[in-house]
Amino acid sequence: MSDCSCTSSSRPVHSVKELEPLAGVFKALGHPVRLMIVEMLLDGERCVCELQKDSGRDMSTVSSHLNVLKNSRIVSCEQRGKMCIIPCAAPASAACCRVCRKARR
């Protein structure tokens, strides 16, 4: 028996299992370098070499972070000749970044 006197007892809208993919997105966005990459993509797609140059990080570091973002379906990769172009595959993730940035102000 519970001693809770609350009259409103609602069940969660989603189960933990249903929320795991969303938690994965937040986990992927939980690193400053990955957030920086997503922010760089807010204005449009970029070549991996541009992301590397503009972030000031090693190519291996950028590639590693891009893999995390790709696995979470936040970004995708489009091969164009020898260039790998990265568009933001999940505009909602970008919007989430904007909202969080505003909330911190």
Side-chain angles (χ1 to χ4, degrees):
M1 262 197 225
S2 172
D3 292 336
C4 180
S5 61
C6 297
T7 57
S8 153
S9 176
S10 64
R11 304 188 114 207
V13 176
H14 300 286
S15 70
V16 170
K17 185 140 182 91
E18 291 171 319
L19 292 171
E20 284 176 357
L22 180 60
V25 169
F26 280 104
K27 184 176 180 180
L29 293 172
H31 191 282
V33 173
R34 291 193 288 269
L35 281 173
M36 179 174 50
I37 290 170
V38 171
E39 281 194 338
M40 284 192 274
L41 295 171
L42 293 179
D43 294 327
E45 63 188 23
R46 307 277 293 270
C47 176
V48 174
C49 60
E50 291 175 316
L51 294 172
Q52 185 266 322
K53 180 183 171 192
D54 293 346
S55 70
R57 301 296 192 270
D58 293 334
M59 184 58 81
S60 61
T61 300
V62 171
S63 293
S64 176
H65 287 297
L66 283 172
N67 280 328
V68 173
L69 294 170
K70 281 190 263 184
N71 290 338
S72 297
R73 297 185 177 148
I74 295 169
V75 301
S76 61
C77 180
E78 297 174 9
Q79 201 69 36
R80 294 186 193 159
K82 292 183 178 182
M83 295 188 337
C84 184
I85 304 297
I86 308 293
C88 190
S93 298
C96 178
C97 288
R98 286 185 184 117
V99 168
C100 290
R101 181 169 289 285
K102 286 181 182 177
R104 289 223 17 160
R105 291 181 184 160

